[in-house]
Amino acid sequence: MPRYMTLIRIDEQASADWEPDPGFEQRMGALFEEITKAGVMLETAGLTPTAQGTRLTWNEGKLGHTDGPFTETKEVIGGYAILQCKDRAEALEWTRRFLQTHPAGWSVGAEVRQIDEQPQLPK
């Protein structure tokens, strides 16, 4: 079965003010229990704030780096999940359900991409 990576996107500055509603943890826990029992969830984690990150770049033969926070970036990857699903539609359905567990006032996005099981080496 194919694997999919779901990248969870958040506005890091706005998320500092988010307060979970009383049922958030229960909804998220129930979904994680269901997705794990279904054998779909292979791995998931949140990421530390960009203030603790470093971006590395390779450009015109030169290596560069920038330490966080990355204030010029409004939307950042706040977490990820690796799902093993029968097809893209199933991966999208689980991701849709994940997003819907969040409080209505939050702004959370997700990008779902199939993992290429054939690693490509540079030519």
Side-chain angles (χ1 to χ4, degrees), residues 2-3 9 15 18 20 37 44 46 52 57 59 66 72 75 92 102 118:
R3 295 182 306 150
R9 297 184 179 275
S15 69
W18 292 348
K37 282 183 180 177
T44 189
Q52 299 172 25
T57 57
N59 187 22
T66 304
E72 74 282 358
E75 190 178 78
L92 291 172
H102 292 79
Q118 306 287 318

Side-chain angles (χ1 to χ4, degrees), residues 15-106:
S15 69
D17 297 329
W18 292 348
E19 289 291 328
D21 61 46
F24 175 64
E25 288 184 24
Q26 183 179 1
R27 291 190 310 272
M28 190 63 73
L31 178 65
F32 277 25
E33 183 177 340
E34 182 182 354
I35 197 171
T36 301
K37 282 183 180 177
V40 171
M41 179 70 74
L42 300 180
E43 182 178 337
T44 189
L47 300 175
T48 59
T50 62
Q52 299 172 25
T54 300
R55 288 185 178 162
L56 299 174
T57 57
W58 179 255
N59 187 22
E60 297 183 6
K62 294 182 182 175
L63 187 62
H65 78 277
T66 304
D67 291 328
F70 311 122
T71 55
E72 74 282 358
T73 305
K74 180 177 171 143
E75 190 178 78
V76 298
I77 297 173
Y80 71 95
I82 297 178
L83 311 175
Q84 189 164 29
C85 301
K86 64 183 178 207
D87 56 25
R88 181 176 179 269
E90 182 184 17
L92 291 172
E93 175 62 19
W94 283 112
T95 304
R96 181 192 63 75
R97 290 182 59 197
F98 168 78
L99 290 175
Q100 289 177 324
T101 64
H102 292 79
W106 293 16

Side-chain angles (χ1 to χ4, degrees), residues 109-123:
E111 179 180 336
V112 178
R113 297 176 58 187
Q114 186 171 346
I115 295 173
D116 185 354
E117 303 294 350
Q118 306 287 318
Q120 304 291 320
L121 297 177
K123 293 181 181 182

